[in-house]
Amino acid sequence: MDTLTIRKPDDWHLHFRDGFMLQETVPATSRCFSRAIVMPNLIPPVTTGSLAESYRQRIEAAIPKGSAFTPLMTIYLTDDTSPAIIADASKAGVVAAKLYPAGATTNSASAVHNLDQMQPVFEAMAHHGMLLLIHGEVTDPDIDIFDREKVFIERRLIGIVERNPSLKIVLEHITTAEAAQFVLGASDRVAATVTPQHLLYNRNDLLVGGIRPHNYCLPVLKRNTHQLALREAVAKGTPKIFLGTDSAPHERGKKESACGCAGCYSAWSALELYAQIFEDLGALDYLEGFASEHGPRFYGLELNQEKVKLVRESWHVPTEITLPDQNKIVPFYAGMEVRWKVQEV
Ligand code: NCD
Ligand code: ZN
């Protein structure tokens, strides 16, 4: 098979950033995705409906002429988020709120310190039909970084799911066998996204032969048994796991640093890499569900009617991208060969 035509996909988790960076990130995603769940971890974060609305307008201004793309806006939960803020955000068209445990990842310093105090906010979200998107890692200093997701599920997530029977929850960018198992065994209100890097790589790709800062993201890559469990889960075609690239650009100097930032910028290659992964798994028939159907069904949104065509064509991811301010980004999979290519229309 040398072409693959699928319903146009959506990206259910990414970081566009702001300002001139939108000139780079928005076209990279709108080239093949119809919608994207836009993460709110700007500095300062997007915490209200009105901040989300003005961010939406800045994103829309960066959509290339002639391409149809809809950003789906989220807000960032803090210790000060109230049910009134949720009601107001829902009115402004915000579809989901993002829970970062404070300190868990890039730009999460102003996030939630005490999860137990969030219950009224979760109830308001359920009432307004807003989804809860979770960065599932504990931040306790005594918990090993490779165990942070597993411990979050045990100590936090199970309780949140139990106390909120009508709240839809997405455990984002899952990285472990425990997360896959939890989501597959949970009720229909619980789903997960998975990134290309967590399906393609394990922690050897981060640490063997030298530290590879461009493969550093959070939650951090895990051992290969976890990578295999994630691959096995998507290869079954489960409707509970769908596409979320977590495309997260950082300038080269911020990654190649004594204290490098977490995040992989995959927007230019993600759909092609997912196709390659599903092909390697003998699961190409499930790519369309993963990329284009399970996500909108879970969010309660219409399926896209347009199609995208991928062709079997070898190309190499650029080794760097120049931003409008002349700074550089090293994209995910830089310089590596990819076997599928989205056909430009
Ligand atoms: C993301 C970023 O750079 O904003 N980084 C990452 O490693 N994934 C934040 C996040 O999604 O955790
Ligand atoms: Zn992210």
Side-chain angles (χ1 to χ4, degrees), residues 10 26 30 32 42 49 60-61 67 82 113 115 121 125 132 167 207 211 257 271 296 307 322 344:
D10 305 299
V26 176
S30 68
C32 62
L42 305 181
E60 283 173 351
S67 84
S82 62
H113 292 85
L115 268 176
V121 170
M125 289 173 61
L132 176 63
L167 182 62
L207 296 169
I211 294 178
S257 152
L271 183 59
K307 305 270 179 194
T322 303
E344 318 246 337

Side-chain angles (χ1 to χ4, degrees), residues 13 15 17 41 100 105-106 135 173 217-218 246 248 250 262-263:
H13 177 130
H15 303 263
R17 313 299 188 206
N41 63 333
Y100 292 102
T105 188
T106 308
H135 183 108
H173 42 51
C217 64
L218 288 170
D246 197 14
H250 292 279

